Amino acid sequence: MSFGFFGIQFGFALQNTNTSRIFATLGADIDNLSILWLAAPITGLLVQPVIGYLSDNTWHPVWGRRRPFFFVGSVLASMAMFLMPNSSKLWMAVFVLWLMDASINISMEPFRAFVGDKLDASQQTGGFAMQTFFIGCGGVIASLLPTIFTDYLGVSNVPVNGAIPDTVRYSFYVGGSVYFLAVLWTVLFSKEDAPADMDAFLAERAASKGLGNAVKEILGGFLKMPKTMVQLAIVQFFTWVALFSMWVYTTPSIAAGVFHSSDAQSAGYQEAGNWVGIMFAMYGGVSAIAAFLLPMLAKLTSRKFVHLLCLAIGGVSLISIFAITSKEMLLVPMVGVGIAWASVLTMPYAILAGALPANKMGYYMGLFNFFVVIPQIVAGVVLGAILKNFFANQSVKILMLGGACMVLAGFLTLIVQDDAEKTIAKEA
């Protein structure tokens, strides 16, 4: 039931690895990159709570509750992935990023709720870890695609007349196809359980009909958030500022610091873009392996300790990029980032799932995404100004700032109350 995440991560990995490269190739200035990226988190802010609410109130005897959203999102995301590398103007690329991110979000958040629906508290850490494994595997292959097309298939990696390089275009075509097929596998071969009390479910759904009731319930959820969710929101804020910084500024940082190029039309800059794909593949691969180890470590210690440790390792690793001038050595800090990424995709959701009411799982998982996208929006607004006014356009310093935020997020994990883990321990 988690296999669809293999395809979803094809979309996110290609987006995270190549969007800054595409924007720069189409003429974007370095201090405007974070603003241009805002299309992605703003879309998540609007889409995910609505999709979560709708999926909670959906039931079809054949399609189930979450799978209709898996399927629709996969169709739209695949179309957007075919459009993205064919953007000929900067504004077109920004618009398609909005479309692509909205479509990916339609698929993704119901997958989080799916694990909460299907697994009891003792299995949820393992369930989210399995999603992390498929996310890691998908991320590795998708991030490597431009390099595979360049080094093994002889495809041109240089922009012609300001257009996106063929390596990037073909990578998105493969990614769009894999996205659809992987999600379709989950749609066709996974099962969903009907609501335990169908009459009560239908009555609640009837009572919540109408746009006014829907908006009221969606907005009202902020006042009813479980205490654990509020505490995790603080941790998520600093975590996702760090990740957004990495996704936006790694390509220009590596291009300038290691490949000595700031011209996005040059072969050196595009080579740096390919190498960033290899770096991101490294952290994706490490996260796939770590996904199986973290639940075992959590059993020996606690989910909070694991998350603190992993975020601290990832933050220090991100900071260390500042001192590295060899492209091969850049793979070393990506190991630490991969350990952090595995925990980011597993521990907060496992902790949260144990604190949520079963009939609101989709909605609250969608609402939780607010604390993923709001920090990215804040970062998108302020990082460009910080880069220009305080860091003299040295984008690697933004990576250092992101690393510091990740270390802080790790220590803030200490404030989180994980009651579900205590209950599991007593039952054991």
Side-chain angles (χ1 to χ4, degrees), residues 21 143 146-147 150 157 167 269-278:
R21 177 183 185 178
S143 298
T147 298
T150 302
N157 191 49
T167 51
Y269 193 100
Q270 297 299 328
E271 186 181 353
N274 279 12
W275 192 256
V276 170
I278 294 173

Side-chain angles (χ1 to χ4, degrees), residues 139-287:
V140 169
I141 300 172
S143 298
L144 289 175
L145 281 176
T147 298
I148 292 171
F149 277 115
T150 302
D151 294 351
Y152 298 99
L153 300 178
V155 177
S156 172
N157 191 49
V158 180
V160 178
N161 297 324
I164 309 302
D166 287 344
T167 51
V168 177
R169 287 198 301 115
Y170 296 162
S171 297
F172 272 84
Y173 297 161
V174 172
S177 302
V178 172
Y179 190 117
F180 176 74
L181 293 173
V183 173
L184 185 63
W185 178 275
T186 296
V187 171
L188 294 178
F189 296 105
S190 61
K191 303 296 182 184
E192 294 192 70
D193 300 323
D197 188 338
M198 183 61 74
D199 291 337
F201 170 79
L202 293 175
E204 184 176 352
R205 183 170 68 176
S208 63
K209 278 187 176 180
L211 180 61
N213 285 330
V215 171
K216 182 179 178 181
E217 285 197 43
I218 290 171
L219 296 179
F222 279 105
L223 303 177
K224 302 175 184 176
M225 288 191 300
K227 183 179 179 181
T228 298
M229 187 171 174
V230 176
Q231 295 163 343
L232 282 169
I234 301 171
V235 177
Q236 292 287 84
F237 182 88
F238 291 98
T239 301
W240 285 90
V241 166
L243 292 169
F244 186 82
S245 302
M246 180 182 72
W247 292 329
V248 175
Y249 288 107
T250 298
T251 295
S253 298
I254 302 310
V258 178
F259 290 84
H260 310 294
S261 175
S262 58
D263 179 8
Q265 298 296 323
S266 68
Y269 193 100
Q270 297 299 328
E271 186 181 353
N274 279 12
W275 192 256
V276 170
I278 294 173
M279 292 170 61
F280 284 11
M282 172 63 81
Y283 88 69
V286 170
S287 73

